Each structure stands twice: as structure tokens, then as C-alpha cells.
Amino acid sequence: MARLLINGGNRLNGVIKVQGAKNSMLPILAATVLCKGENVIHNCPDLADVSSTIRILRYLGCCVRREGDTLIINADKMDRDDIPDTLMREMRSSITFLGAVLARTGRVRLTFPGGCELGPRPIDLHLKALRKMGAQIDERHGVLDCTAPDGLSGAKISLSFPSVGATENVILAAVLAHGTTVITNAAREPEICDLSDFLNACGAKIYGCGDGVIVIDGVDELSCTSHSVIPDRIVATTYMSAVAASGGKLLLKNIIPSHLNGIVPIFEESGCEISFLGSDLSLNVPKRIHSVKLIRTMPYPGFPTDAQAPVMAMLAVADGTSVFVENIFESRYKHVGELIRLGASIKVEGRVAVVEGVRHLSGAPVMAMDLRGAAALVVAGLAAEGTTEISGLRHIERGYEDIEICLAQIGACIKKV
Ligand code: EPZ
């Protein structure tokens, strides 16, 4: 089984180009089933979750080919409306095929999705919204049999929580529906805007993304386009955390500064200097970072839950005590036990984690339990003295392209074995 070996303690210094956003790519790939012709999607990282999505598209009968970091998808010959359980379980975002395939064929049969174990991850908001749009959904033994006998119709959807996945599913179901759909309390994440930009370029009429109220006027058909996926703000934050924990300087290329508004104040509070020039971010780390009083994960534009683990690893070596409150997922502290093995001092009580910064971490064998937890172990391993061996790499491969190559190029001693 592959592992990452890190000899920590090096200062990091250099340039990293940030990959395309996984959480943008996956719904955009699902959206291609709604389009006629050949979509060309640029800035597509080579990730396990992207490969899983491609397997679903191919199973459905779509043609997909990769040319470097570009994916070319043609769904004209799609001839299936079911997705096997094995494919659904590979990742959470397989659920976006629910809205997409239902809108395309008027029927879809699939099972509950897999993905990182972060506590209960229900899809009740997705199902309630689609039912309101005219879907008949039969749920039995984990199988969802959905039909839209009279087609899907526009509806007023008010989400009780701004769920990213539910917002995406409603958008996908609404673009070809009869009439107008209005989503209130919609998720405002940049990945939602990226999905809408892609669909609008194909002829959809989606307004208000990023504002919390999204209006979608259904159209008769969608054509195709060429689209470049936005940069991954969580990957950017992970590399920033790595450099902040180890000391040094980082120039990140290919970022969208406003997407980092929720995390920049945290790095500044820790004593890091950040400046932007166009799509570049430069990070300058003090001799030792300070603790950060309180970090509360929130829906966008707040501090993202996906950045909680890597930033916690960084603050494990800060001067002073930092407090985290995880508000999005019930069980997103699985990395804590492993960080403690590396010498971190962290106490968890329900949704709160108290991190007392220590001067030194020391290398140890650790196991990744989920994607961002795995990233946290990399951040901590780079800062730790001695050798850290990380197993459970399949988690990191779901969301980080060539992480060991990117980090080695800024001076880390890291290799995959
Ligand atoms: C997306 O998950 C991301 N995944 C997650 O990233 C991210 O952590 C999350 O949004 C929050 O930002 C993808 O985009 C593929 P939600 P999603 O629906 O859509 C509750 C990563 O590391 N909820 O916004 O599953 C839910 O239980 C991953 O890249 C319901 O109660 O997130 C959770 O507590 C992990 N009922 C909260 O809402 C529902 O029907 C947020 O979930 C749906 C959600």
C-alpha cells in the first residue's frame, strides 16, 4: 500500500501553481449530461474523484477523453439512467447525477452516495427539493428510484441550510425544467458560481449565484462550451498552512483572491504577511506563528470546514492556544488523534477543539482517515522533526494532484513509497 514518507523540519520556499477545484469539477462533469455536443473543460486535475466521475459518465454512455489537463465530454449518446452502487459509493458528489440524469431522461435509479465519513450526511434537502419540482422518488433499502412523469417544473425552494450539494442538484434539475425555480438560502460557495457559469455558457438562464437567492428560468435545451475550472481554494489553503507551519515564503499562482477572504484573516492573525498581485498570492511567515483566538467553520463566505484540518495542523506549532468550533459536520476531528501522535496538544469536546501550540512536533507513523485530515497530517509531518510515515493515501489522492511533487519543489523532503 502506498505511503508518504516525510522528513520534516525543512523551511519551505518557492512557487506552487494551484490546481483546479475538485468540488467545482465534479458537478460540472455531472452537468455535461444535460448538454448537446462536445464540452471542453480545462484545468481539470487528475484526481481519484475525477476518475470516479468519469467512470460514471462512461457507464451512462458518454464519451470522455483526457488531453493533458483538459477533459472533452460528449453526452449525445448517453443511453442509461441508472448508476450502480459501487460507482455511487466512490464519492459524495456522485449524488449530483441525481438532478442531472433526472433532468436529462426523466428517470434515474441510483443509491446513496459515499464520500468522507464526517458524521451523518443525509440527502433529505436534495430529495425534498426535487419532489417539490415534480419528481416521484421511491426510497427502498438505500436505492432511490426517481421519475418525473410530467417532467420537472420550476418551484420555490427554500433550503433550511445552505447545502452545497442540494443547491447544485436543484440547479441541475431546474435548468431544463418548465418555468422558473427560485432557491432561497442557497449555498454561496464559489463552486456553485462556477457550475452556473458553465451552464450559462451552454445557454442556461441562472441568475444570482453567490447572493443566496438563485433564480433559474428553465430553457428547452443546452448546447456546449469550453470552460476553465476555478482554482481550488482549499488546496491553496493547504499549501499556505504547510509553509506557515514549517516557516518560509510561498508564492501561489492561479488563485482568485476573493475566494480566500474567509481564510486570509486567520493567517494574518497568526502573524503571516499576505499580499496579492493579480492571481498570485505571496505568503511570508514569521519566525514562529501565533495562535488564533477562535476559528468557527461556516458556510461561504465564512471560514471553510474543508480548511479546518490543515489549519489546525499549522496552529499545532503556534505560540499560544487556538480554539476551533466545527459548525458544518458533526464528526470532523478524526485527524486530531493522529496529530497527537505527532506530539500535538489538542483536546476535543463535541464541536470544539482546543489546540495548545507546542514548539516541536516529532515524526511518527500516522494514518489518514479522510481527505482534509490527510492534508493535515502532511502539514504536521512537514513541520515535525524526524520521519513521518502517512498511510491511507487513497484519501489524499481524492483531492490533491501530485501533492508530494508540489511540496518537494518548494524544498520539502517528501516522497511516495
Ligand atoms: C460539499 O459537501 C463539499 N463536497 C464538501 O467538501 C464540503 O465540506 C461541504 O460541501 C461544505 O462546504 C463537494 O462539493 C463534493 P453540504 P456537501 O450539503 O455538498 C447537512 C471536501 O473535503 N445536510 O453543504 O455534502 C450535512 O449533513 C468535501 O472536499 C443535510 O442535513 O455538503 C452537513 O452537516 C468534504 N441534509 C451540512 O448540511 C442534506 O440534504 C453541509 O452539507 C444535505 C446536507
Side-chain angles (χ1 to χ4, degrees):
M1 229 200 282
R3 284 158 298 139
L4 269 185
L5 273 191
I6 302 176
N7 266 315
N10 290 4
R11 277 174 74 78
L12 304 177
N13 208 326
V15 183
I16 296 179
K17 180 174 178 278
V18 176
Q19 69 184 57
K22 163 182 85 81
N23 290 346
S24 243
M25 269 213 72
L26 305 181
I28 288 175
L29 289 179
T32 61
V33 306
L34 298 171
C35 304
K36 289 208 160 78
E38 198 168 76
N39 277 300
V40 180
I41 316 291
H42 302 291
N43 202 25
C44 298
D46 190 4
L47 304 170
D49 276 11
V50 172
S51 303
S52 302
T53 311
I54 293 173
R55 275 196 288 281
I56 294 179
L57 286 168
R58 287 190 174 139
Y59 177 86
L60 291 169
C62 308
C63 293
V64 187
R65 62 178 208 279
R66 187 182 263 281
E67 288 175 9
D69 75 348
T70 297
L71 285 175
I72 299 137
I73 304 113
N74 188 325
D76 288 350
K77 296 208 170 111
M78 178 174 143
D79 56 0
R80 299 197 71 122
D81 55 22
D82 66 299
I83 302 177
D85 189 43
T86 42
L87 292 178
M88 285 301 291
R89 279 180 191 271
E90 286 184 10
M91 56 184 174
R92 169 77 178 180
S93 71
S94 53
I95 196 61
T96 47
F97 281 95
L98 171 60
V101 177
L102 186 62
R104 157 97 185 222
T105 65
R107 185 190 169 91
V108 63
R109 185 183 160 87
L110 39 71
T111 59
F112 280 82
C116 286
E117 295 291 336
L118 312 173
R121 294 182 77 179
I123 52 167
D124 54 316
L125 301 176
H126 305 230
L127 301 183
K128 192 174 164 199
L130 293 176
R131 284 188 170 115
K132 207 159 175 208
M133 296 177 72
Q136 291 180 2
I137 305 177
D138 183 29
E139 275 178 81
R140 246 178 263 186
H141 310 299
V143 179
L144 296 165
D145 223 324
C146 316
T147 50
D150 306 318
L152 292 167
S153 313
K156 288 202 161 94
I157 309 289
S158 178
L159 295 175
S160 55
F161 181 89
S163 155
V164 173
T167 303
E168 289 165 351
N169 249 329
V170 175
I171 292 175
L172 290 165
V175 280
L176 293 176
H178 306 295
T180 299
T181 299
V182 180
I183 316 173
T184 47
N185 201 23
R188 297 161 67 190
E189 270 69 2
E191 294 76 19
I192 302 279
C193 302
D194 204 20
L195 171 66
S196 304
D197 288 345
F198 165 75
L199 285 165
N200 282 341
C202 295
K205 292 193 171 157
I206 308 169
Y207 312 95
C209 274
D211 292 342
V213 179
I214 299 177
V215 177
I216 305 142
D217 288 330
V219 296
D220 291 338
E221 64 173 38
L222 294 177
S223 59
C224 52
T225 190
S226 160
H227 179 83
S228 192
V229 172
I230 57 168
D232 195 312
R233 61 200 166 99
I234 307 301
V235 168
T237 309
T238 303
Y239 290 134
M240 290 167 70
S241 306
V243 177
S246 296
K249 278 188 188 173
L250 176 66
L251 181 65
L252 278 182
K253 295 230 156 254
N254 187 34
I255 52 122
I256 298 179
S258 60
H259 292 178
L260 299 175
N261 282 349
I263 67 110
V264 164
I266 301 297
F267 280 80
E268 286 177 339
E269 191 178 335
S270 78
C272 296
E273 280 169 22
I274 293 182
S275 56
F276 294 100
L277 189 63
S279 61
D280 289 356
L281 174 151
S282 106
L283 173 80
N284 203 346
V285 177
K287 205 152 180 248
R288 187 177 179 202
I289 53 169
H290 320 299
S291 55
V292 174
K293 253 190 208 143
L294 180 62
I295 299 179
R296 296 188 303 156
T297 65
M298 305 285 271
Y300 190 84
F303 182 89
T305 173
D306 294 347
Q308 177 253 105
V311 170
M312 181 181 289
M314 144 189 156
L315 291 172
V317 290
D319 183 10
T321 302
S322 310
V323 176
F324 286 80
V325 183
E326 172 56 58
N327 291 309
I328 308 296
F329 290 108
E330 240 177 76
S331 176
R332 210 169 191 183
Y333 286 135
K334 289 195 178 132
H335 46 284
V336 167
E338 304 301 299
L339 291 177
I340 290 173
R341 284 179 182 233
L342 295 170
S345 172
I346 306 172
K347 290 203 172 57
V348 174
E349 182 79 47
R351 289 182 178 269
V352 178
V354 179
V355 183
E356 265 181 66
V358 295
R359 230 170 223 293
H360 302 289
L361 297 174
S362 45
V366 285
M367 161 102 70
M369 312 279 191
D370 59 54
L371 168 59
R372 306 302 170 188
L377 299 181
V378 173
V379 170
L382 292 168
E385 286 165 7
T387 305
T388 296
E389 186 179 319
I390 306 177
S391 51
L393 280 201
R394 67 191 163 86
H395 292 294
I396 212 154
E397 286 164 356
R398 292 188 41 217
Y400 292 82
E401 185 180 45
D402 295 334
I403 192 169
E404 71 285 4
I405 297 174
C406 292
L407 288 167
Q409 95 200 6
I410 60 167
C413 183
I414 177 171
K415 64 177 177 192
K416 203 192 267 188
V417 290

